[in-house]
Amino acid sequence: MDINIRQASLEDCDELYNIRQMPKVMENILSYKNEPKDGIKNKFLNKGQDLWIVAEADDKVVGLIILGVHRNPRKSHVGYLTIIVNSNYHGMGIGSKLMSTVMDIADNNLKLKRLELSVFIENERAINLYKKFGFDIEGIAKRTALRNGIYCDEYNMARLLLD
Ligand SMILES: CC(C)(COP(=O)(O)OP(=O)(O)OC[C@H]1O[C@@H](n2cnc3c(N)ncnc32)[C@H](O)[C@@H]1OP(=O)(O)O)[C@@H](O)C(=O)NCCC(=O)NCCS
């Protein structure tokens, strides 16, 4: 399967909304049933310097990774990540391709020293993906959100690039 990686555009937002609403995606992110469709468009329009990269396969958008960088100058070496892949395409290497694209930009272009994210502790696939790209678990945040009606804990994970 050919996977094309490119910068996102406003036109991608409807398909990204559909992905956020999919089973096996929704419960693992902070999406919820029938969330307003404009939400993702507004987020894109207000993304500022954040990097939005999409993956295309079979002539459609099937995944998104967002890399943000803290704006406070004392934290300008720190980036944060979020990623989703269409659940019909899980386990096919799309998440890995998005991650390696963004790791390369973070390390070689932006020269970030720390990347951080949080992930529900039940989300084994995502945790494995992050570990594969050098993220370690730094701690657990308790009962941070509802997931399938139950309060759920999150791992705080980070990847450090040491001088
Ligand atoms: C997490 C997610 C982005 C991974 O994307 P993906 O395209 O499925 O990932 P890949 O196919 O590249 O697999 C990446 C790694 O995940 C792990 N993995 C794959 N399938 C797995 C499974 N069934 N169970 C556990 N781990 C699995 C493997 O370590 C794999 O690497 P490997 O193939 O080199 O061994 C995707 O599953 C997703 O969108 N999930 C729902 C949304 C989500 O959880 N986002 C992250 C919120 S923190």
Side-chain angles (χ1 to χ4, degrees):
M1 182 180 57
D2 287 339
I3 306 168
N4 181 40
I5 302 289
R6 62 164 170 80
Q7 297 230 24
S9 69
L10 187 60
E11 290 68 42
D12 298 323
C13 288
D14 285 343
E15 193 54 40
L16 294 172
Y17 175 86
N18 294 337
I19 297 173
R20 283 175 63 85
Q21 291 283 300
M22 296 181 97
K24 299 192 186 149
V25 175
M26 187 192 289
E27 65 266 32
N28 288 311
I29 59 174
L30 290 178
S31 176
Y32 51 91
K33 203 159 188 264
N34 300 323
E35 65 180 348
K37 220 170 185 177
D38 280 350
I40 184 116
K41 281 190 179 150
N42 288 335
K43 205 173 163 201
F44 180 82
L45 291 170
N46 293 307
K47 70 183 178 56
Q49 298 300 309
D50 291 359
L51 198 61
W52 285 45
I53 305 275
V54 291
E56 288 175 319
D58 302 332
D59 297 323
K60 60 178 182 287
V61 168
V62 292
L64 166 72
I65 190 165
I66 300 175
L67 170 65
V69 179
H70 284 281
R71 285 165 180 77
N72 184 314
R74 288 174 57 196
K75 291 196 72 153
S76 60
H77 62 294
V78 182
Y80 44 89
L81 285 182
T82 142
I83 183 169
I84 51 169
V85 171
N86 178 320
S87 44
N88 297 323
Y89 289 81
H90 286 179
M92 297 182 185
I94 292 169
S96 298
K97 195 150 183 185
L98 287 168
M99 284 290 281
S100 64
T101 302
V102 156
M103 294 302 107
D104 182 38
I105 294 171
D107 293 347
N108 299 315
N109 294 73
L110 301 175
K111 304 206 184 293
L112 299 177
K113 299 296 175 205
R114 174 183 166 90
L115 292 174
E116 56 191 19
L117 55 84
S118 54
V119 55
F120 290 124
I121 64 169
E122 286 86 357
N123 192 353
E124 200 184 336
R125 190 192 295 268
I127 293 164
N128 286 340
L129 172 70
Y130 300 142
K131 284 184 173 167
K132 181 172 144 184
F133 283 90
F135 285 76
D136 292 320
I137 294 170
E138 293 189 323
I140 299 184
K142 296 281 191 181
R143 294 162 68 98
T144 53
L146 281 167
R147 184 177 185 266
N148 297 328
I150 295 168
Y151 291 120
C152 187
D153 300 343
E154 284 178 300
Y155 287 133
N156 297 320
M157 298 187 73
R159 172 183 181 273
L160 294 180
L161 203 68
L162 300 174
D163 287 325

